[in-house]
Coordinates of all heavy atoms in Angstrom, one line a residue:
M1 N 114.5 98.9 99.2 CA 113.2 98.9 98.6 C 112.5 100.2 98.7 O 112.2 100.7 99.8 CB 112.4 97.8 99.3 CG 111.1 97.4 98.5 SD 111.4 96.6 96.9 CE 109.7 96.4 96.3
P2 N 112.2 100.9 97.6 CA 111.5 102.2 97.6 C 110.1 102.0 98.1 O 109.4 101.0 97.8 CB 111.6 102.7 96.2 CG 111.7 101.5 95.4 CD 112.5 100.5 96.2
K3 N 109.6 103.0 98.8 CA 108.2 102.9 99.3 C 107.2 103.7 98.5 O 106.0 103.5 98.6 CB 108.2 103.5 100.8 CG 108.8 102.6 101.8 CD 108.4 103.0 103.2 CE 108.8 102.0 104.3 NZ 110.3 102.0 104.5
W4 N 107.7 104.6 97.7 CA 106.8 105.4 96.8 C 107.3 105.5 95.4 O 108.6 105.6 95.2 CB 106.7 106.8 97.4 CG 106.1 106.9 98.7 CD1 106.7 106.7 100.0 CD2 104.7 107.1 99.1 NE1 105.8 106.9 101.0 CE2 104.5 107.1 100.4 CE3 103.5 107.3 98.2 CZ2 103.3 107.3 101.1 CZ3 102.3 107.5 98.9 CH2 102.2 107.5 100.3
A5 N 106.5 105.5 94.5 CA 106.8 105.8 93.1 C 106.3 107.2 92.8 O 105.1 107.4 92.9 CB 106.2 104.8 92.1
V6 N 107.2 108.1 92.4 CA 106.8 109.5 92.1 C 107.2 109.8 90.7 O 108.3 109.7 90.3 CB 107.5 110.5 93.1 CG1 107.1 111.9 92.8 CG2 107.2 110.1 94.6
F7 N 106.2 110.2 89.9 CA 106.4 110.6 88.5 C 105.3 111.5 88.0 O 104.3 111.6 88.6 CB 106.6 109.4 87.7 CG 105.4 108.5 87.7 CD1 104.4 108.6 86.8 CD2 105.3 107.5 88.7 CE1 103.2 107.7 86.8 CE2 104.2 106.7 88.8 CZ 103.1 106.8 87.8
R8 N 105.6 112.1 86.9 CA 104.7 113.1 86.3 C 103.7 112.4 85.4 O 104.1 111.4 84.7 CB 105.5 114.2 85.6 CG 104.8 115.5 85.5 CD 105.8 116.6 85.0 NE 106.7 117.0 86.1 CZ 106.4 118.0 86.9 NH1 105.2 118.6 86.9 NH2 107.3 118.3 87.9
C9 N 102.5 112.9 85.3 CA 101.5 112.4 84.4 C 102.1 112.4 82.9 O 102.6 113.4 82.5 CB 100.2 113.2 84.5 SG 98.9 112.6 83.4
P10 N 101.9 111.3 82.2 CA 102.3 111.3 80.8 C 101.4 112.1 79.9 O 101.8 112.4 78.7 CB 102.2 109.8 80.4 CG 101.1 109.3 81.3 CD 101.3 110.0 82.6
G11 N 100.3 112.6 80.4 CA 99.5 113.5 79.6 C 99.9 114.9 79.7 O 101.1 115.2 79.9
T12 N 98.9 115.8 79.5 CA 99.3 117.2 79.3 C 99.1 118.0 80.6 O 99.3 119.2 80.7 CB 98.4 117.9 78.3 OG1 97.0 117.6 78.5 CG2 98.8 117.3 76.9
C13 N 98.6 117.3 81.7 CA 98.2 118.1 82.9 C 99.3 118.3 83.9 O 99.1 119.0 84.8 CB 97.0 117.3 83.6 SG 97.5 115.8 84.4
S14 N 100.4 117.5 83.7 CA 101.6 117.6 84.6 C 101.3 117.4 86.1 O 101.9 117.8 86.9 CB 102.3 119.0 84.5 OG 101.5 120.0 85.1
T15 N 100.2 116.6 86.4 CA 100.0 116.1 87.7 C 101.1 115.2 88.2 O 101.6 114.4 87.4 CB 98.7 115.3 87.8 OG1 97.6 116.2 87.4 CG2 98.4 114.8 89.2
V16 N 101.6 115.4 89.4 CA 102.6 114.5 89.9 C 101.9 113.4 90.8 O 101.1 113.7 91.7 CB 103.6 115.3 90.8 CG1 104.6 114.3 91.5 CG2 104.3 116.3 90.0
Y17 N 102.2 112.2 90.4 CA 101.6 111.0 91.1 C 102.6 110.6 92.2 O 103.8 110.5 92.0 CB 101.4 109.9 90.2 CG 100.4 110.2 89.1 CD1 100.8 110.4 87.8 CD2 99.0 110.2 89.3 CE1 99.9 110.7 86.8 CE2 98.1 110.6 88.4 CZ 98.6 110.8 87.1 OH 97.7 111.1 86.1
R18 N 102.0 110.2 93.3 CA 102.8 109.5 94.4 C 102.1 108.2 94.7 O 101.0 108.2 95.3 CB 102.9 110.4 95.6 CG 103.6 111.7 95.4 CD 103.8 112.5 96.6 NE 104.7 112.0 97.6 CZ 104.4 111.5 98.8 NH1 103.2 111.5 99.2 NH2 105.4 111.0 99.6
L19 N 102.6 107.1 94.2 CA 102.0 105.8 94.3 C 102.6 105.1 95.5 O 103.9 104.9 95.4 CB 102.1 105.0 93.1 CG 101.5 105.7 91.8 CD1 101.7 104.7 90.6 CD2 100.1 106.0 92.0
P20 N 101.9 104.6 96.5 CA 102.4 103.8 97.5 C 102.8 102.4 97.0 O 102.0 101.8 96.2 CB 101.4 103.7 98.6 CG 100.1 104.0 97.8 CD 100.4 104.9 96.7
L21 N 104.0 101.9 97.3 CA 104.4 100.6 96.9 C 104.4 99.6 98.1 O 104.5 98.4 97.8 CB 105.9 100.7 96.4 CG 106.1 101.7 95.3 CD1 107.6 101.6 94.9 CD2 105.3 101.4 94.0
S22 N 104.1 100.1 99.3 CA 104.1 99.3 100.4 C 102.8 98.5 100.5 O 101.7 99.1 100.3 CB 104.3 100.1 101.7 OG 103.9 99.4 102.8
A23 N 102.8 97.2 100.9 CA 101.6 96.4 101.0 C 100.8 96.9 102.1 O 99.6 96.5 102.2 CB 102.0 95.0 101.2
A24 N 101.3 97.8 103.0 CA 100.5 98.3 104.1 C 99.5 99.3 103.6 O 98.5 99.6 104.3 CB 101.4 99.0 105.1
H25 N 99.6 99.8 102.4 CA 98.7 100.8 101.8 C 97.7 100.0 100.9 O 98.0 99.0 100.3 CB 99.4 101.8 100.9 CG 100.1 102.9 101.7 ND1 101.4 102.7 102.2 CD2 99.7 104.1 102.1 CE1 101.7 103.8 102.8 NE2 100.7 104.6 102.8
T26 N 96.4 100.5 100.9 CA 95.4 100.0 100.0 C 94.8 101.2 99.3 O 94.2 102.1 99.9 CB 94.3 99.2 100.8 OG1 94.9 98.2 101.6 CG2 93.3 98.7 99.9
P27 N 94.9 101.2 98.0 CA 95.6 100.3 97.1 C 97.1 100.6 97.1 O 97.5 101.6 97.6 CB 94.9 100.5 95.8 CG 94.6 102.0 95.8 CD 94.2 102.3 97.2
H28 N 97.8 99.6 96.6 CA 99.2 99.9 96.4 C 99.6 99.3 95.1 O 98.9 98.5 94.5 CB 100.1 99.4 97.5 CG 100.0 97.8 97.7 ND1 99.0 97.2 98.5 CD2 100.7 96.8 97.1 CE1 99.2 95.9 98.4 NE2 100.2 95.6 97.5
W29 N 100.8 99.7 94.6 CA 101.3 99.2 93.3 C 102.6 98.4 93.4 O 103.3 98.6 94.4 CB 101.5 100.4 92.4 CG 100.2 100.9 91.8 CD1 99.7 100.7 90.6 CD2 99.3 101.8 92.4 NE1 98.5 101.4 90.4 CE2 98.3 102.1 91.5 CE3 99.3 102.4 93.7 CZ2 97.2 102.9 91.9 CZ3 98.2 103.3 94.0 CH2 97.2 103.5 93.1
S30 N 102.9 97.6 92.5 CA 104.1 96.9 92.5 C 104.9 97.3 91.3 O 104.4 97.5 90.2 CB 103.9 95.4 92.5 OG 103.2 95.0 91.4
I31 N 106.2 97.5 91.5 CA 107.1 97.9 90.4 C 108.1 96.8 90.2 O 108.7 96.3 91.2 CB 107.8 99.2 90.8 CG1 106.9 100.3 91.1 CG2 108.8 99.6 89.7 CD1 106.3 101.1 89.9
S32 N 108.3 96.4 89.0 CA 109.4 95.4 88.7 C 110.3 96.1 87.6 O 109.9 96.9 86.8 CB 108.8 94.1 88.2 OG 108.1 94.3 87.0
V33 N 111.6 95.7 87.7 CA 112.6 96.3 86.8 C 113.2 95.1 86.1 O 113.7 94.1 86.7 CB 113.6 97.1 87.6 CG1 114.7 97.6 86.6 CG2 113.0 98.2 88.3
D34 N 113.2 95.1 84.8 CA 113.9 94.0 84.0 C 115.4 94.2 84.0 O 115.9 95.1 84.5 CB 113.2 93.9 82.6 CG 113.6 95.1 81.7 OD1 114.5 95.9 82.0 OD2 112.9 95.2 80.7
W35 N 116.0 93.3 83.3 CA 117.5 93.3 83.3 C 118.1 94.4 82.6 O 119.3 94.7 82.7 CB 118.0 91.9 82.8 CG 117.7 91.6 81.4 CD1 116.5 91.2 80.9 CD2 118.5 91.8 80.2 NE1 116.5 91.1 79.6 CE2 117.8 91.4 79.1 CE3 119.8 92.2 80.1 CZ2 118.3 91.4 77.8 CZ3 120.4 92.3 78.8 CH2 119.6 91.9 77.7
L36 N 117.3 95.1 81.8 CA 117.8 96.4 81.2 C 117.5 97.6 82.0 O 117.8 98.7 81.5 CB 117.2 96.5 79.8 CG 117.7 95.5 78.7 CD1 116.9 95.7 77.4 CD2 119.2 95.8 78.4
G37 N 116.9 97.4 83.2 CA 116.6 98.5 84.0 C 115.3 99.3 83.7 O 115.1 100.4 84.1
R38 N 114.5 98.6 82.9 CA 113.2 99.3 82.5 C 112.1 98.9 83.5 O 111.9 97.7 83.6 CB 112.8 98.8 81.0 CG 113.9 99.2 80.0 CD 113.5 98.7 78.7 NE 113.4 97.2 78.7 CZ 113.3 96.5 77.6 NH1 113.3 97.1 76.4 NH2 113.2 95.2 77.6
P39 N 111.4 99.9 84.0 CA 110.4 99.6 85.0 C 109.1 99.2 84.4 O 108.8 99.7 83.3 CB 110.3 100.9 85.8 CG 110.7 101.9 84.8 CD 111.7 101.3 83.9
S40 N 108.4 98.3 85.1 CA 107.0 98.0 84.8 C 106.2 98.2 86.0 O 106.7 97.9 87.1 CB 106.8 96.6 84.2 OG 107.6 96.4 83.1
C41 N 105.0 98.6 85.9 CA 104.1 98.7 87.1 C 102.8 98.0 86.9 O 102.4 97.8 85.8 CB 103.8 100.2 87.5 SG 102.6 100.9 86.5
S42 N 102.2 97.5 88.1 CA 100.9 97.0 88.0 C 100.2 97.3 89.3 O 100.9 97.4 90.3 CB 101.0 95.5 87.8 OG 101.5 94.8 88.9
P43 N 98.9 97.4 89.4 CA 98.0 97.5 88.2 C 98.2 98.8 87.5 O 99.1 99.6 87.7 CB 96.7 97.3 88.8 CG 96.8 98.0 90.2 CD 98.2 97.7 90.6
S44 N 97.2 99.1 86.6 CA 97.3 100.4 85.9 C 97.0 101.5 86.8 O 96.4 101.3 87.9 CB 96.3 100.4 84.7 OG 94.9 100.2 85.2
I45 N 97.3 102.7 86.4 CA 97.1 103.9 87.2 C 95.9 104.6 86.6 O 95.9 105.0 85.4 CB 98.3 104.8 87.2 CG1 99.5 104.1 87.9 CG2 98.0 106.2 87.9 CD1 100.8 104.2 87.1
N46 N 94.8 104.8 87.4 CA 93.6 105.5 86.9 C 93.4 106.7 87.7 O 92.9 106.6 88.9 CB 92.4 104.5 87.0 CG 91.2 105.0 86.2 OD1 91.2 106.1 85.6 ND2 90.2 104.1 86.1
Q47 N 93.8 107.9 87.2 CA 93.6 109.1 87.9 C 92.2 109.6 87.7 O 91.8 110.0 86.6 CB 94.6 110.1 87.4 CG 94.5 111.5 87.8 CD 94.5 111.7 89.3 OE1 93.6 111.7 90.0 NE2 95.7 111.9 89.8
K48 N 91.4 109.6 88.7 CA 90.0 109.9 88.6 C 89.6 111.3 89.0 O 88.6 111.8 88.7 CB 89.1 108.9 89.3 CG 89.1 107.6 88.7 CD 88.3 106.6 89.6 CE 88.3 105.2 88.9 NZ 87.7 104.2 89.8
S49 N 90.6 112.0 89.7 CA 90.3 113.3 90.2 C 90.6 114.4 89.2 O 89.8 115.2 88.8 CB 91.0 113.5 91.5 OG 92.4 113.3 91.4
A50 N 91.9 114.5 88.9 CA 92.3 115.7 88.1 C 92.1 115.5 86.6 O 91.5 116.3 86.0 CB 93.8 116.0 88.5
C51 N 92.8 114.5 86.0 CA 93.0 114.5 84.6 C 92.4 113.3 83.9 O 92.4 113.2 82.7 CB 94.4 114.7 84.2 SG 95.3 113.1 84.5
H52 N 91.9 112.3 84.7 CA 91.3 111.1 84.1 C 92.3 110.3 83.2 O 91.8 109.7 82.2 CB 90.0 111.5 83.3 CG 89.0 112.2 84.2 ND1 88.2 111.5 85.1 CD2 88.7 113.5 84.3 CE1 87.4 112.4 85.7 NE2 87.7 113.6 85.2
A53 N 93.5 110.4 83.4 CA 94.5 109.6 82.7 C 94.4 108.2 83.2 O 94.2 107.9 84.4 CB 95.9 110.1 82.9
H54 N 94.5 107.2 82.3 CA 94.4 105.8 82.7 C 95.5 105.1 81.9 O 95.4 105.0 80.7 CB 93.0 105.2 82.4 CG 92.8 103.8 82.9 ND1 91.7 103.1 82.6 CD2 93.5 103.1 83.8 CE1 91.8 101.9 83.3 NE2 92.9 101.9 84.0
F55 N 96.5 104.6 82.6 CA 97.7 104.1 81.9 C 98.4 103.2 82.8 O 98.2 103.0 84.0 CB 98.6 105.3 81.5 CG 99.1 106.1 82.6 CD1 100.4 105.8 83.2 CD2 98.3 107.1 83.2 CE1 100.8 106.5 84.3 CE2 98.8 107.8 84.3 CZ 100.0 107.5 84.8
W56 N 99.4 102.4 82.2 CA 100.3 101.6 82.9 C 101.7 101.8 82.3 O 101.8 102.3 81.2 CB 99.8 100.2 83.1 CG 100.0 99.3 81.9 CD1 101.0 98.4 81.7 CD2 99.1 99.3 80.8 NE1 100.7 97.8 80.5 CE2 99.6 98.3 79.9 CE3 97.9 99.9 80.5 CZ2 98.9 98.0 78.7 CZ3 97.3 99.6 79.3 CH2 97.8 98.7 78.4
I57 N 102.7 101.3 83.0 CA 104.0 101.4 82.5 C 104.5 99.9 82.3 O 104.4 99.1 83.1 CB 104.9 102.1 83.5 CG1 104.4 103.5 83.8 CG2 106.4 102.1 83.1 CD1 105.0 104.1 85.0
Q58 N 105.0 99.7 81.0 CA 105.5 98.4 80.6 C 106.9 98.6 80.0 O 107.0 99.3 79.0 CB 104.5 97.8 79.7 CG 104.8 96.3 79.3 CD 103.7 95.7 78.5 OE1 103.3 96.3 77.5 NE2 103.3 94.5 78.9
S59 N 107.8 98.0 80.7 CA 109.2 98.1 80.2 C 109.7 99.5 79.9 O 110.3 99.8 78.9 CB 109.4 97.2 78.9 OG 109.1 95.9 79.2
G60 N 109.3 100.4 80.8 CA 109.8 101.8 80.7 C 108.9 102.6 79.8 O 109.2 103.8 79.6
T61 N 107.9 102.1 79.2 CA 107.1 102.8 78.2 C 105.7 102.9 78.8 O 105.1 102.0 79.3 CB 107.0 102.0 76.9 OG1 108.3 101.8 76.4 CG2 106.2 102.8 75.9
V62 N 105.1 104.2 78.7 CA 103.8 104.4 79.1 C 102.8 103.9 78.1 O 102.9 104.2 76.9 CB 103.6 105.9 79.3 CG1 102.1 106.2 79.6 CG2 104.4 106.4 80.5
Q63 N 101.9 103.1 78.6 CA 100.8 102.5 77.7 C 99.5 103.2 78.1 O 99.1 103.0 79.3 CB 100.7 101.0 77.9 CG 102.0 100.3 77.7 CD 102.5 100.2 76.2 OE1 101.6 100.2 75.3 NE2 103.8 100.1 76.0
Q64 N 98.9 103.9 77.2 CA 97.6 104.5 77.5 C 96.5 103.5 77.4 O 96.4 102.8 76.4 CB 97.3 105.7 76.6 CG 98.3 106.8 76.7 CD 98.0 107.8 77.8 OE1 97.0 107.7 78.5 NE2 98.9 108.8 78.0
C65 N 95.6 103.5 78.4 CA 94.4 102.7 78.2 C 93.4 103.4 77.2 O 93.5 104.6 77.0 CB 93.7 102.5 79.6 SG 94.7 101.5 80.7
R66 N 92.5 102.5 76.7 CA 91.6 103.0 75.7 C 90.7 104.1 76.3 O 90.3 105.0 75.5 CB 90.8 101.9 75.2 CG 90.0 102.1 73.9 CD 89.4 100.9 73.4 NE 90.4 99.9 72.9 CZ 90.9 100.0 71.7 NH1 90.4 100.9 70.8 NH2 91.8 99.1 71.3
D67 N 90.4 104.1 77.6 CA 89.5 105.1 78.1 C 90.2 106.2 78.8 O 89.6 107.1 79.4 CB 88.5 104.4 79.2 CG 89.4 103.8 80.4 OD1 90.6 103.7 80.2 OD2 88.7 103.4 81.4
S68 N 91.5 106.4 78.5 CA 92.2 107.5 79.1 C 91.8 108.8 78.4 O 91.6 108.8 77.2 CB 93.7 107.3 78.9 OG 94.4 108.4 79.4
R69 N 91.6 109.8 79.2 CA 91.2 111.1 78.7 C 92.3 112.1 78.7 O 92.1 113.3 78.6 CB 90.0 111.6 79.4 CG 88.7 111.0 78.8 CD 87.5 111.7 79.5 NE 87.0 110.8 80.6 CZ 86.2 111.3 81.5 NH1 85.8 112.6 81.5 NH2 85.7 110.5 82.5
C70 N 93.5 111.7 79.0 CA 94.6 112.6 79.2 C 95.8 112.1 78.3 O 96.9 112.2 78.6 CB 95.1 112.6 80.6 SG 96.1 114.1 81.0
A71 N 95.4 111.6 77.1 CA 96.4 111.0 76.3 C 97.0 112.0 75.4 O 96.4 112.9 74.9 CB 95.7 109.9 75.4
T72 N 98.3 111.9 75.1 CA 99.0 112.7 74.2 C 99.1 112.0 72.9 O 99.5 112.7 71.8 CB 100.4 113.1 74.7 OG1 101.1 111.9 75.0 CG2 100.3 113.9 76.0
S73 N 98.9 110.7 72.8 CA 98.9 110.0 71.5 C 97.7 109.1 71.5 O 97.1 108.8 72.6 CB 100.2 109.2 71.5 OG 100.3 108.3 72.6
P74 N 97.2 108.7 70.4 CA 96.0 107.9 70.3 C 96.1 106.6 71.1 O 97.2 106.0 71.1 CB 95.9 107.5 68.8 CG 96.7 108.6 68.1 CD 97.8 109.0 69.0
A75 N 95.0 106.3 71.8 CA 95.0 105.1 72.6 C 95.2 103.8 71.7 O 94.7 103.8 70.6 CB 93.7 105.0 73.4
R76 N 95.9 102.9 72.2 CA 96.1 101.6 71.5 C 95.2 100.5 72.1 O 95.0 100.5 73.2 CB 97.6 101.2 71.5 CG 98.4 101.9 70.5 CD 99.9 101.7 70.7 NE 100.4 102.6 71.7 CZ 101.6 102.7 72.0 NH1 102.5 101.9 71.5 NH2 102.0 103.6 72.9
Ligands
ZN1 ZN1 97.2 114.0 83.1

């Protein structure tokens, strides 16, 4: 069981996120992987310090929230 999810911001700022997955951390995130190996995470990731990206990952695809300010594509 991995303890951290580490990935780069889907926006243009190239911030590297380190999200704790352990329930010992507050807050923490949960990652699930479907039978095709595509990860999903919850809750959404809201970067308030550097780039204001707000997104989540669903079936391996980054979904930008409407209020994200670090989007590379129009918010859906
Ligand atoms: Zn960003």
Side-chain angles (χ1 to χ4, degrees):
M1 191 67 184
K3 289 197 170 71
W4 295 85
V6 180
F7 56 94
R8 205 169 285 276
C9 180
T12 54
C13 72
S14 75
T15 300
V16 174
Y17 298 106
R18 295 181 76 244
L19 303 181
L21 304 179
S22 165
H25 284 86
T26 304
H28 63 270
W29 283 261
S30 59
I31 303 277
S32 59
V33 179
D34 68 14
W35 62 280
L36 288 173
R38 300 176 301 189
S40 300
C41 78
S42 68
S44 64
I45 296 134
N46 195 353
Q47 169 62 268
K48 291 177 179 167
S49 54
C51 76
H52 302 283
H54 191 187
F55 60 96
W56 75 100
I57 300 166
Q58 187 173 51
S59 300
T61 303
V62 172
Q63 308 284 334
Q64 297 276 357
C65 294
R66 195 171 290 274
D67 62 347
S68 177
R69 278 186 260 160
C70 197
T72 54
S73 57
R76 277 170 277 183

